[in-house]
Amino acid sequence: LASITLLSCSQDETVATMDRVAIAFDKVFVENSTSSRAAEDITLDKLNNFSVYGSVVKGDQEGNIFDEQKVEKTAGEYTYSPAQYWIPGASYHFTAIAPHEGYWIYTCKPGTESEYGTRQAQYGTITFDNHSAGAEQDLLWAYKTATTAASFTQKPEAIGFSFQHMLSRAKFTFKNGFAKGSNISLKVKNVTITNAHKVGTIELNGSNLPVAWTVAESTTENPNTFERNFGDAGTETNYGPQTSGTTVHYYLIPVANANYKIEFTIDLYQAGVLLLENIQKTADIIGFDMKRGYSYEFKAELNASNTSNDGALEAIEFKVTGVKDWENYTNVDANINTQTSGNN
């Protein structure tokens, strides 16, 4: 279920420069996110801080001006210290990652002295530990370049970052597939992905990003998976025929050809009476290509064929085996007493 709207903002802009004008960050945008959930989305209103990496190139010279620089929102403005300044006739590359303090590591790609200097802010890798984050931490990334004019004419605008969500979101919806009027209600509990990826890496290449991450192969000795319990599907005690219950969202590292094993428990009620309790179920999601910045809703329908572990539930049926014939009543004769009408 793709629910993210990308903002169409240019990744590159040319700015006019003035002597000793500080580089500022502002005009921050975040891709839309619209679901209430346990894991907390970083929305524009909640983007309180981020880290900036930045390099400047002029001719064959390159230097680093920002290295995990914390930028904070104060009174609605994004500020940092100490200030860095624009140089005329230079090119700048900025990479931003939010939140500033998180379970991620950004490694700038080393360059050669003649070509790039020592580090390239537009390249490198992000490694994210979703296990340590409990699958509850959003991760944002933004990239921007700027080129200063050869002469100082006016104060440049602040660098505007348009952040993208780097992970996938997932939730699970279970539909009670029994027919309306069947008096069967369900409760789905403890929905769990048993093999969510712990750690993943994505390689940056300026504004060109892969749609998925790479993850290390999981082995018995070095498992790269963990369990993430999504809780119960819905907040109601149980839900009736043709209605659904949905879990909260959590974050997953998006990978191509993902295979997930899902476990959950079902309680079945008939006419409000709990008749089948803690039915253990498993399901598989096989060969699913996940993409960063997308929100997924995995749906399943529960009905008579898949609810019980003892085979399909059998519907109560009725049949007619016969109709008893009428019998003659012969034990006592029934006389009808009649009187003749007239004068006595």
Side-chain angles (χ1 to χ4, degrees):
L1 180 68
S3 62
I4 298 298
T5 301
L6 297 179
L7 293 171
S8 56
C9 294
S10 172
Q11 290 284 5
D12 184 84
E13 61 185 30
T14 299
V15 298
T17 60
M18 296 178 66
D19 190 19
R20 291 192 57 78
V21 174
I23 298 173
F25 302 100
D26 201 353
K27 301 186 302 182
V28 173
F29 298 92
V30 180
E31 291 174 333
N32 293 333
S33 178
T34 58
S35 254
S36 59
R37 47 215 272 297
E40 188 71 16
D41 279 341
I42 301 177
T43 60
L44 181 58
D45 291 338
K46 296 176 181 178
L47 183 53
N48 296 320
N49 56 68
F50 52 89
S51 295
V52 172
Y53 299 81
S55 60
V56 57
V57 179
K58 188 172 183 179
D60 60 358
Q61 306 276 330
E62 177 169 336
N64 303 308
I65 53 176
F66 295 109
D67 192 353
E68 201 174 345
Q69 172 67 57
K70 184 177 184 180
V71 179
E72 294 184 276
K73 183 191 288 185
T74 304
E77 300 291 333
Y78 289 98
T79 62
Y80 68 95
S81 180
Q84 301 294 336
Y85 294 89
W86 297 106
I87 301 298
S91 298
Y92 293 83
H93 300 270
F94 303 100
T95 289
I97 302 173
H100 173 70
E101 294 181 358
Y103 295 94
W104 56 267
I105 297 174
Y106 175 55
T107 305
C108 290
K109 182 178 178 180
T112 62
E113 185 174 353
S114 60
E115 185 178 2
Y116 296 110
T118 56
R119 287 155 67 89
Q120 305 172 57
Q122 69 270 40
Y123 300 107
T125 58
I126 297 176
T127 300
F128 184 70
D129 187 344
N130 199 33
H131 180 222
S132 296
E136 297 178 359
Q137 184 182 89
D138 201 356
L139 180 67
L140 305 184
W141 166 91
Y143 171 72
K144 196 76 172 181
T145 65
T147 302
T148 56
S151 60
F152 305 109
T153 58
Q154 63 185 26
K155 181 179 179 179
E157 293 185 356
I159 290 296
F161 285 122
S162 181
F163 281 89
Q164 300 181 30
H165 294 281
M166 296 295 287
L167 304 175
S168 295
R169 298 190 314 180
K171 66 179 180 180
F172 296 88
T173 293
F174 295 86
K175 179 181 178 180
N176 182 338
F178 287 87
K180 287 186 176 181
S182 64
N183 287 322
I184 298 293
S185 57
L186 303 173
K187 178 64 177 178
V188 179
K189 307 179 296 184
N190 294 321
V191 182
T192 303
I193 289 183
T194 64
N195 58 341
H197 299 292
K198 284 184 177 181
V199 179
T201 300
I202 189 166
E203 186 168 349
L204 308 180
N205 182 11
S207 60
N208 300 315
L209 281 184
V211 296
W213 294 54
T214 57
V215 293
E217 183 178 355
S218 190
T219 64
T220 303
E221 296 77 15
N222 296 296
N224 191 30
T225 60
F226 70 104
E227 292 188 358
R228 173 66 259 186
N229 190 307
F230 283 64
D232 297 346
T235 57
E236 301 296 328
T237 303
N238 50 72
Y239 38 96
Q242 300 301 307
T243 60
S244 301
T246 303
T247 68
V248 295
H249 280 91
Y250 284 99
Y251 300 108
L252 297 175
I253 295 175
V255 298
N257 197 33
N259 298 309
Y260 292 116
K261 182 178 180 182
I262 316 301
E263 294 181 351
F264 55 95
T265 302
I266 302 173
D267 288 344
L268 183 146
Y269 298 77
Q270 187 174 46
V273 179
L274 178 60
L275 297 182
L276 296 176
E277 187 175 13
N278 294 329
I279 306 169
Q280 303 295 321
K281 287 290 184 179
T282 61
D284 294 305
I285 300 171
I286 300 175
F288 188 78
D289 290 335
M290 302 189 74
K291 298 179 180 180
R292 56 178 177 79
Y294 280 74
S295 184
Y296 297 93
E297 181 180 16
F298 297 106
K299 296 182 178 181
E301 181 173 320
L302 302 175
N303 50 47
S305 66
N306 59 14
T307 304
S308 172
N309 286 333
D310 298 322
L313 297 178
E314 298 294 338
I316 298 173
E317 297 179 345
F318 300 98
K319 67 180 181 179
V320 177
T321 58
V323 177
K324 189 175 181 180
D325 290 338
W326 292 100
E327 295 184 18
N328 291 324
Y329 187 77
T330 58
N331 291 340
V332 178
D333 291 334
N335 295 318
I336 299 175
N337 185 21
T338 62
Q339 293 183 353
T340 302
S341 300
N343 294 327
N344 289 329

